[in-house]
Amino acid sequence: MRTIHVVAGVLRDRRARVLLAQRPPGKPHAGLWEFPGGKVEPGETAHQALARELDEELGIEVDAARPLIAIPSGRIVLDVWDVPAWSGRLHAREGQALAWVELAAIDAANMPPADRPVLAALRLPSEYLITPTIDGVDAQTYLAALERALAAGVRLVQLRACDPSRERIAALARAARAICVRHGALLVLNGDWQLAEVLGLDGAHLPAAVAAKLAQRPLPAHRWLGVSCHDADELAHAARIGADFATLSPVLATASHPTARPLGWTQMRALIENAALPVYALGGLEPADVATARMHGAQGIAAIRGLWKS
């Protein structure tokens, strides 16, 4: 079965709104909204196809573009590019409806399934802090380190609190949540999605073993759901149960798992190319590795030591 390669572009206006185009009557998913683009023709590169499609559909010239995420969906691979610079008078050359929409206001339910992970990728930051456990550290010292990490720019945090007492975890999560809200950051709780929902956190992150026991998404759509993955099967299962993003590890050697065999950048890229959701590279990484991770298809990096400000 031949794969259909489709490119799409994410364009923003001066107010940081995103351009969406409505699919016309008579086509699959008619009436839904998508990122503008179209099929890659034989002999074209993805970048050449993107430039041609945006000229044909919108009358603009692409001045700069970089790969954002590629989503396999049945026979189709949706190859999405961020287009930070373009020129020309943008208009609907094919009569399609266009709309500039605030990113936070876009409803994923009004988009084709393949576009929904793209929306997640646009809303997620490039750095994902996984906190160390609180063992041997008092709560105030722990929260002060979290505050420093957020002050340094972290905007997505996974709280790991290995404590048998749900009450103590809940107290720590409430305090961490207050700090995250002040900094405009998201907070997800490791493992316990029921507690995350009760506390009104932004979501949960599930270990692979926990996710493997689930047949469907355990959280409502307005909560974030992440899954820890280590191979293609786990990435596929994460997408199947409706996870919003995943981590993939270990990419490089790490002191916390010295016996684990690192994937390396090449193998990581191959795994991410077949993943149907945004993926953070994890394992031995620091902020300086974000550009390399993104060049290899990742959403960015996840890290403990590399992002924690103890």
Side-chain angles (χ1 to χ4, degrees), residues 51-143:
R52 175 183 53 76
E53 285 287 345
L54 295 187
D55 174 38
E56 292 174 356
E57 292 188 16
L58 305 174
I60 62 170
E61 182 177 340
V62 173
D63 297 325
R66 68 169 184 83
L68 177 67
I69 188 171
I71 303 296
S73 179
R75 294 177 57 201
I76 296 173
V77 174
L78 178 62
D79 189 356
V80 183
W81 291 60
D82 190 18
V83 183
W86 47 274
S87 54
R89 187 179 68 85
L90 188 149
H91 60 289
R93 296 186 70 179
E94 298 178 347
Q96 72 276 36
L98 300 175
W100 291 102
V101 187
E102 298 282 351
L103 187 58
I106 299 175
D107 186 349
N110 294 328
M111 306 185 79
D115 286 272
R116 295 170 193 172
V118 182
L119 189 57
L122 290 171
R123 289 173 170 167
L124 288 167
S126 60
E127 295 178 349
Y128 180 23
L129 167 63
I130 303 171
T131 70
T133 62
I134 199 169
D135 298 344
V137 181
D138 68 90
Q140 291 308 310
T141 300
Y142 190 87
L143 293 169

